[in-house]
């Protein structure tokens, strides 16, 4: 008998312990409850459930394999006509994000009132009730002092129903400040398409039917856009003999799969684009069907010669002759070659082959060519090549997509009291629409957001100092250039609540941490996107129980705040939700945040799952018989694309594709008049060099580059990482383990890449630790020698350099030591001001020294 | 049998009190959790009792528990990286993730005992507090089945105890408590880690086995009498 050890506990000794302790009447368990027999079985086959990915704006439809309430793995939802059964690699990291022990687990409040990067916030757990009570008090304090406009809502990644939070909540409280992240995402890229064809959005490309594709400042095999689709289709394209040319200063993933790589000198895209346009016209290769023809049939686009406008009869375009005369006639490949770094023969060959394949040809434009200080006209010039060859809205060309017609979310106007009406008209915190920041989205002065300007505006208190802010899925002091300004600006905010899954850089300055659900598994989510000449809209149910005490900001947090405000006497927000967002099937008012979430999605998509509404709105694509049928399938597909429907029906001033942009002329003139000045002055204020009529055509601008070549010899190339989920996946071990899937990068680390010839001149070696200094900042990282960048340039991916986010993302999370460097620590905070876009590319130089 | 049950009550209570040590808010100044824990451990595990004494002394030295609270947050709650993640799967699985296969296995064993993690407790089911409290409840269930003379049920619960100890608690207690010992700023939590490790180690290696054998002996006796 082995009772010796056990015998140690002599029963007689127990006498000293009170009967109470050992009575067996154990108090009720605090962390366990009864379950039904057989509720949990040995691991069995799970079920694939529809979901979607918001790891980038590709917004792919996915399925998640759920086994007994746990998410196991991810694949594409092959019901989507956008990407079929193909999935990009970054989606898989979402499982590591949701099941990360580093997540924020419950609401927490700051106990150290001092804010700063070196202050310990002293976060302690609180209940959701206390958190929302505090937040509501802060909002009501603003309202009590007639300062409701000093409230800001920062929006990062969001879903289709975000209006009920992002748009309506600030308005009902009485603030103009709903600040989106859009201008650190794109905007300059949308400028060109808008001011030529009246479309402020990403385009789609009919690659299945194309014969020639130019990928310009975009890397669709790596990052946005539509990676799932392009990773699949590229193989077919190459097999079919489709020619692909990639214009990118770095040897990108896409360049590696292209027949031609044109490593344009950073910022000089305008020279290359105008030279290609020159060739297309001079060689007589423009589209007769789309653009038109000389009345006598003879090509008068002769180098250096003006053309009489009346000799050319335009059909679906406007101003081709003006463009030639004002800009293109001297823009020969020989002129462009020394400027853009691509030899004249290559420029000519690519332009000719592209135009000869037209209209089944594509210039696929990303942000690289235009998110530059003087990038707006590059955006127009690059996109206008599609106009010249008639591939706009043509089979095998550049499309706009067929969005689902969704119900517009209810407007909050009736729930805005006098103060809300007055104060929500006050100036927005991002200075949009000021003389210096036209942000001409959709043709309106101040129509778009200038996200990164908000930090300066807070610091200079211009137009005023905001006091209370909430941000969700946003991390501005990591993702915006000149991060230090944001650290200071956030320190100045009296009160900031951060809705986020992980303790990120911005959380460090928060007063409240409001832990968020993961959009892919723990909340309902929906988003729409286009590719492959289709548009899809996917819908996610709540697939797993939230792992921690986390809530959906757009619905649950909004609802709890509404309830707290109502409790304290301000019921407008709650009334709005209850009255306007009833269940479309039963008419029931929402009574919880979860019901608000469900009803809002049902409401938004009613035109898809309710036949009467579908017919009423003349919708296209799939029609479902009821809500359940829609959510079970989880994805709606549009009808096939109607080509050429936009020809002479564009949303421009002339309804034509404008090479001479009457639309831009109108927008710039209105903006100038608003500020009692002229267009030349506005452009000068916005750092452009152009004067007169040239301002209304795509033209070459000498790039505005921060840092003189003598002090800063290397042009810096910023690019995105294959596995980055918008800067949020660095705490996933897979991100680190597969970091070398970015060509030239290293696992579990960070590097800057330099041409070996330059390194040799500087006496630097592969693996050296180097200090990278720009005119506005510095960082330390590892040097890699790489032939994939041309001499005098260096390239570094964005995505590392987190000093927060978790113990994998940061080298030492506790001591705030980053793993590698964050590009935004050295990128100067500058803008393409006409669109409001932040300038990430072709806009600054650095020097490299051994650290 | 009565002696057996007394010993089991001590085990159940010890697990319960250890579970209480891994929670917020800290109420140790107002209750006698640590004192009783010390007394109980003194009966079963001299080594662990020494550590429990250190916990008690540490507690007596604090005028308020703020330092302990922040230590607790840094070790087990966040918002920054947990210095000692209190989840089994972090230690038992390659990827260091939560809600893994091992978590699911813990849930399966809870369910075999008719239990699941409470919905109000918003943490993964293999949180140390749940696992310790589960052991306490399982022992309690064993006691009840003995009292009702349901030997088959008792055997089942005893087997579950051994299975859960070997597959779960004992599988990760060492690296978990090592994390606490290396990172805790307060004596209280360092000593709690040592007490937990010592208690679980002895439970796994000796006491649970001895308990099973004692039960089998007793059951044989009972069978003979019948």
């Amino acid at each position: 008998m082995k009772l010796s050890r056990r015998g140690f506990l002599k029963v007689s000794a127990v006498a000293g312990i009170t009967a109470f302790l050992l009575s067996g009447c154990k108090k009720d368990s605090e962390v366990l409850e009864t379950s039904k027999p057989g509720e949990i079985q040995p691991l069995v086959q799970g079920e694939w459930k529809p979901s979607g990915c918001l790891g980038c704006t590709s917004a792919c439809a996915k399925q998640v394999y759920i086994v007994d309430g746990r998410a196991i793995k991810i694949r594409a939802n092959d019901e989507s006509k956008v990407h079929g059964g193909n999935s990009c690699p970054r989606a898989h990291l979402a499982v590591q994000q949701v099941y990360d022990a580093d997540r924020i687990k419950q609401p927490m409040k700051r106990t150290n009132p001092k804010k700063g990067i070196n202050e310990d916030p002293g976060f302690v757990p609180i209940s959701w009730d206390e958190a929302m009570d505090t937040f509501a008090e802060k909002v009501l304090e603003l309202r009590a002092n007639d300062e409701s406009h000093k409230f800001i809502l920062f929006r990062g990644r969001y879903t289709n129903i975000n209006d009920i939070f992002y748009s309506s909540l600030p308005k009902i409280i009485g603030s103009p400040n709903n600040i989106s992240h859009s201008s650190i995402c794109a905007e300059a890229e949308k400028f060109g398409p808008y001011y030529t064809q009246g479309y402020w959005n990403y385009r789609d490309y009919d690659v299945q039917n194309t014969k020639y594709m130019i990928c310009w400042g975009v890397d669709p095999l790596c990052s946005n856009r539509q990676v799932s689709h392009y990773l699949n289709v590229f193989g077919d394209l190459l097999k079919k003999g489709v020619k692909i040319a990639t214009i990118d200063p770095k040897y990108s993933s896409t360049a590696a799969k292209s027949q031609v790589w044109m490593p344009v000198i950073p910022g000089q895209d305008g020279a290359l684009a105008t030279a290609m346009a020159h060739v297309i016209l001079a060689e007589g290769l423009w589209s007769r069907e789309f653009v038109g023809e000389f009345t006598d049939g003879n090509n008068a686009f002769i180098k250096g010669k003006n053309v009489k406008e009346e000799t050319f009869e335009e059909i679906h375009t406007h101003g081709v002759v003006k463009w030639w005369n004002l800009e293109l006639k001297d823009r020969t490949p020989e002129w462009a070659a020394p400027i853009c770094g691509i030899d004249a023969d290559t420029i000519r060959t690519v332009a000719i082959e592209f135009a000869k394949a037209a209209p089944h040809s594509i210039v696929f434009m990303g942000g690289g060519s235009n998110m530059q200080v003087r990038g707006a006209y590059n955006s127009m010039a690059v996109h206008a090549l599609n106009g010249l060859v008639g591939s706009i809205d043509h089979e095998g060309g550049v499309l706009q997509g067929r969005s689902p017609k969704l119900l517009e979310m209810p407007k909050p106007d009736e729930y805005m009291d006098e103060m809300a009406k007055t104060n929500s008209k006050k100036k927005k915190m991002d200075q949009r629409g000021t003389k210096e920041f036209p942000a001409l989205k959709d043709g309106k002065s101040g129509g778009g957001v200038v996200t990164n300007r908000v930090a300066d505006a807070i610091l200079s208190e211009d137009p005023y100092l905001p006091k209370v802010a909430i941000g969700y899925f946003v991390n501005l002091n990591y993702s915006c250039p000149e991060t230090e300004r944001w650290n200071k600006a956030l320190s100045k905010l009296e009160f900031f609540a951060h809705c986020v899954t992980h303790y990120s850089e911005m959380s460090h300055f928060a007063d409240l941490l409001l832990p968020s659900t993961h959009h892919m598994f723990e909340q309902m989510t929906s988003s729409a996107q286009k590719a492959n000449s289709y548009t899809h809209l996917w819908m996610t149910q709540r697939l797993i129980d939230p792992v921690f005490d986390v809530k959906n900001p757009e619905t649950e947090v909004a609802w709890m705040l509404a309830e707290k405000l109502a409790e304290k006497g301000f019921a407008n927000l709650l009334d709005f939700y209850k009255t306007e967002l009833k269940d479309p099937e039963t008419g029931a008012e929402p009574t919880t945040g979860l019901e608000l979430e469900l009803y809002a999605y049902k409401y938004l998509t009613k035109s898809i799952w309710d036949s009467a509404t579908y017919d009423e709105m003349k919708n296209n694509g799939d029609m479902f018989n009821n809500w359940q049928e829609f959510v079970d399938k989880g994805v709606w597909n549009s009808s096939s694309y109607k080509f050429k429907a936009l020809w002479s029906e564009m949303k421009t001033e002339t309804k034509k594709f404008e090479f001479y942009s009457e639309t831009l002329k109108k927008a710039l003139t209105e903006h100038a008049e608003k500020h009692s000045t002229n267009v030349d002055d506005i452009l000068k204020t916005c750092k452009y060099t152009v004067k007169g009529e040239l301002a209304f055509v795509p033209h070459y601008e000498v790039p505005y580059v921060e840092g003189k070549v003598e002090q800063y010899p290397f042009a810096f190339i910023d690019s995105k990482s294959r596995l980055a989920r918008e800067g949020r996946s660095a705490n996933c071990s897979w991100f680190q383990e597969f970091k070398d899937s970015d060509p030239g990068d290293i696992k579990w680390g960070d590097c800057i890449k330099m041409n070996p010839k330059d390194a040799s001149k500087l006496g630097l070696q592969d693996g050296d630790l180097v200090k990278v200094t720009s005119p506005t900042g510095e960082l330390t990282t590892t040097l890699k020698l790489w032939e994939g960048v041309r001499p005098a340039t260096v390239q570094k991916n964005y995505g590392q350099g987190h000093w927060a986010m978790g113990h994998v993302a940061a080298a030492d999370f506790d001591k705030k030591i980053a793993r590698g460097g964050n590009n935004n620590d050295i990128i100067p905070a500058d803008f393409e001001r006409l669109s409001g876009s932040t300038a990430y590319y072709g806009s600054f130089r650095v020097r490299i020294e051994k650290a | 049998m009565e002696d057996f049950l007394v010993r089991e009550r001590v085990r159940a209570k010890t697990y319960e009190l250890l579970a209480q040590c891994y929670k917020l808010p800290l109420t140790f100044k107002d209750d006698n959790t640590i004192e009783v824990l010390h007394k109980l451990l003194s009966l079963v595990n001299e080594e662990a009792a020494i550590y429990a004494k250190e916990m008690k002394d540490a507690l007596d030295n604090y005028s308020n528990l703020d330092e302990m609270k922040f230590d607790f947050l840094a070790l087990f709650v966040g918002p920054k990286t947990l210095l000692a993640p209190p989840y089994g799967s972090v230690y038992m699985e390659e990827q260091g993730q939560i809600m893994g296969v091992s978590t699911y296995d813990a849930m399966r064993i809870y369910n075999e005992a008719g239990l699941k993690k409470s919905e109000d407790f918003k943490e993964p089911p293999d949180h140390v507090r749940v696992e310790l409290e589960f052991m306490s409840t399982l022992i309690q269930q064993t006691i009840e089945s003995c009292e009702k003379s349901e030997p088959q049920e008792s055997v089942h619960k005893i087997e579950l105890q051994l299975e859960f100890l070997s597959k779960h608690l004992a599988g990760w207690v060492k690296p978990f408590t090592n994390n606490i010992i290396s990172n805790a700023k307060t004596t209280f939590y360092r000593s709690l880690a040592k007490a937990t490790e010592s208690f679980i180690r002895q439970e796994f290696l000796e006491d649970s086995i001895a308990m099973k054998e004692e039960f089998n002996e007793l059951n044989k006796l009972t069978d003979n009498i019948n």
Side-chain angles (χ1 to χ4, degrees), chain A residues 745-771:
Chain A
D745 273 19
I746 47 179
K747 288 172 189 274
W748 292 91
D750 185 40
C751 64
I752 190 162
K753 288 167 273 186
M754 178 187 276
N755 190 289
K757 286 179 193 160
D758 287 333
S760 151
K761 276 184 221 159
L762 292 173
L764 293 170
Q765 292 184 349
D766 194 80
D768 279 351
L769 202 62
V770 290
K771 188 169 86 174

Side-chain angles (χ1 to χ4, degrees), chain B residues 111-165:
Chain B
N111 184 237
E112 281 211 34
L115 293 164
K116 63 179 177 188
K117 188 208 75 176
S118 158
E119 274 182 28
D120 294 336
F121 185 63
K122 310 263 185 199
E123 290 272 6
D126 57 353
H127 189 282
V128 66
R129 205 176 137 200
V130 185
E131 296 208 350
L132 288 168
E133 200 163 299
F134 174 66
M135 276 303 291
S136 172
T137 310
L138 206 48
I139 298 165
Q140 197 59 44
Q141 289 180 350
T142 312
I143 294 168
E144 280 160 23
S145 62
C146 288
E147 284 170 343
K148 288 184 201 156
S149 301
E150 295 169 346
Q152 277 190 333
E153 187 61 19
S154 306
V155 169
H156 179 223
K157 294 290 157 66
I158 287 169
E159 289 303 330
L160 276 183
Q161 286 187 43
L162 266 59
E163 184 184 0
F164 191 73
L165 260 178

Side-chain angles (χ1 to χ4, degrees), chain A residues 58-318:
Chain A
S58 295
C60 296
K62 298 290 176 199
Q63 291 181 329
V64 181
Y65 194 60
I66 303 286
V67 180
D68 293 298
R70 288 186 310 126
I72 307 289
K73 54 185 172 180
I74 289 162
R75 70 178 183 190
N77 187 340
D78 62 4
E79 296 280 1
S80 162
K81 289 184 181 171
V82 164
H83 47 61
N86 308 295
S87 180
C88 101
R90 69 167 58 68
H92 302 292
L93 276 66
V95 175
Q96 286 203 329
Q97 287 182 305
V98 72
Y99 291 146
D100 186 346
D102 281 345
R103 285 181 68 178
I104 305 173
K105 294 157 192 73
Q106 56 196 301
M108 302 189 98
K109 71 174 178 192
R110 186 184 199 92
T111 54
N112 177 3
K114 282 193 205 149
K115 293 184 183 178
I117 189 135
N118 294 320
E119 294 292 339
D120 178 358
F123 283 110
V124 296
I126 52 169
S127 66
W128 275 102
D129 189 70
E130 185 187 340
M132 298 319 293
D133 195 83
T134 310
F135 191 32
E137 282 293 333
K138 286 288 170 188
V139 170
L140 291 177
E141 204 177 289
L142 287 181
R143 285 183 53 86
N145 296 323
D146 193 18
E147 291 183 321
S148 60
H149 55 290
K150 295 182 180 176
F151 173 84
I152 299 191
L153 192 157
F154 293 111
R155 180 186 76 178
R157 181 49 54 214
Y158 57 94
T159 82
N160 262 352
I161 54 153
N162 74 91
D163 264 7
I164 63 171
F165 184 55
Y166 168 71
S167 173
S168 299
L169 187 142
K171 280 187 187 146
I172 290 173
I173 289 172
S175 171
N177 290 311
N178 52 345
I179 302 292
S180 125
H181 77 282
S182 302
S183 68
I184 57 168
C185 199
E187 298 321 86
E189 180 196 323
K190 300 171 185 169
F191 184 93
Y194 185 82
Y195 285 105
T196 50
Q197 72 174 79
Y199 186 57
W200 191 281
N201 206 334
Y202 299 110
R203 285 75 52 214
D204 186 15
Y205 303 95
D206 185 18
V207 290
Q208 302 278 19
N209 296 305
T210 202
K211 293 174 184 161
Y212 200 105
M213 176 153 72
I214 297 174
C215 291
W216 199 316
V218 69
D219 194 4
L221 296 188
C222 167
S223 57
N224 187 40
R225 300 185 50 72
Q226 311 315 129
V227 182
S228 299
H229 171 54
Y230 290 110
L231 277 174
N232 173 57
V233 82
F234 252 60
D236 293 342
L237 297 182
L238 293 170
K239 209 186 283 176
K240 279 196 291 191
V242 173
K243 196 150 184 186
I244 303 169
T246 290
I247 299 170
D248 196 317
K250 72 165 191 302
Y251 193 62
S252 63
S253 303
T254 306
K257 299 291 175 194
S258 304
Q259 286 95 341
V260 184
W261 172 42
M262 299 159 80
V264 64
I265 291 173
Q268 298 291 6
D269 306 80
L272 182 54
T274 52
M276 286 172 69
H278 174 97
V279 171
I280 290 166
L281 292 177
E283 297 284 335
L285 295 172
W286 70 89
S287 165
R288 301 316 193 257
E289 187 191 9
F290 188 64
V291 182
E293 177 59 300
F294 284 99
T295 47
D296 64 1
N298 294 322
N299 183 7
F301 292 127
I302 297 161
K303 179 184 136 185
K305 298 248 163 81
N306 274 315
V307 172
K308 285 185 179 148
E309 283 187 47
E310 60 275 18
T311 63
F312 195 96
E313 209 168 300
E314 264 184 294
I315 305 173
H316 299 294
T317 63
H318 174 79

Side-chain angles (χ1 to χ4, degrees), chain A residues 653-672:
Chain A
E653 285 300 301
T654 58
K655 294 192 172 180
K656 311 274 184 184
F657 188 96
E658 297 180 341
F659 297 118
Y660 179 93
S661 181
E662 303 288 354
T663 311
L664 179 58
K665 190 176 193 173
K666 180 165 180 264
L668 280 172
T669 306
E670 281 173 4
H671 181 74

Side-chain angles (χ1 to χ4, degrees), chain A residues 514-715:
Chain A
L514 303 177
S516 300
T517 43
H518 191 291
H519 67 268
M520 207 163 173
F521 316 96
E522 296 176 314
Q523 63 175 68
M524 292 182 74
T525 307
S526 175
S527 193
Q529 259 309 350
K530 53 186 176 282
N532 195 31
S533 79
Y534 286 93
T535 301
H536 69 195
L537 171 92
W538 49 261
M539 181 80 235
T540 307
Q541 301 270 56
R542 289 186 167 234
L543 300 180
I544 60 172
D545 288 336
V547 179
F548 298 107
D549 193 4
V550 297
K551 308 270 186 203
N552 180 354
E554 286 177 346
T555 55
E556 293 177 277
V557 172
W559 178 266
M560 287 186 295
L561 179 64
E563 279 190 325
K564 275 290 167 199
L565 289 171
E567 227 174 72
K568 294 170 190 292
F570 180 71
N572 297 23
L573 185 61
L574 191 63
D575 288 347
F576 170 68
Y577 289 151
K578 280 186 172 175
T579 315
E580 302 294 335
L581 287 153
K582 292 180 179 147
D583 184 341
E585 285 184 302
T586 66
E589 282 182 359
T591 59
T592 64
L594 290 179
E595 286 177 358
L596 178 70
E597 180 176 288
L598 175 65
Y599 301 167
Y601 279 111
K602 275 183 164 181
Y603 178 93
L604 176 80
T605 58
K606 195 179 173 198
S607 53
I608 284 173
W609 55 266
D610 178 78
S611 58
T613 320
Y614 183 100
D615 293 341
E616 200 180 301
M617 293 186 68
K618 298 194 175 80
N619 223 335
N620 83 94
D622 298 340
M623 206 229 5
F624 298 92
N625 293 309
N626 53 58
W627 165 253
Q628 198 54 44
E629 198 180 282
F630 172 43
V631 295
D632 285 347
K633 189 175 177 189
V635 60
W636 166 96
N637 288 298
S638 68
S639 303
S640 53
Y641 197 77
K642 284 191 207 158
F643 298 112
K644 298 189 188 178
L646 289 170
W647 287 18
S648 290
E649 292 294 337
M650 291 176 179
K651 288 182 177 163
T652 54
E653 285 300 301
T654 58
K655 294 192 172 180
K656 311 274 184 184
F657 188 96
E658 297 180 341
F659 297 118
Y660 179 93
S661 181
E662 303 288 354
T663 311
L664 179 58
K665 190 176 193 173
K666 180 165 180 264
L668 280 172
T669 306
E670 281 173 4
H671 181 74
E673 281 167 2
K674 178 173 151 188
H675 295 286
S676 310
T677 183
N678 57 42
V679 172
D680 287 353
D681 180 41
I682 291 297
L683 288 166
K684 193 177 163 203
T685 309
C686 294
K687 296 197 177 178
Y688 281 91
T689 60
V690 66
K691 280 182 183 157
E693 285 285 279
L694 203 53
F696 312 123
V697 297
H699 64 271
Y700 172 70
E701 291 262 342
V702 175
Y704 182 94
V705 180
E706 197 81 50
K708 288 203 165 70
V709 71
E710 297 76 27
Q711 283 166 286
Y712 303 98
F714 294 95

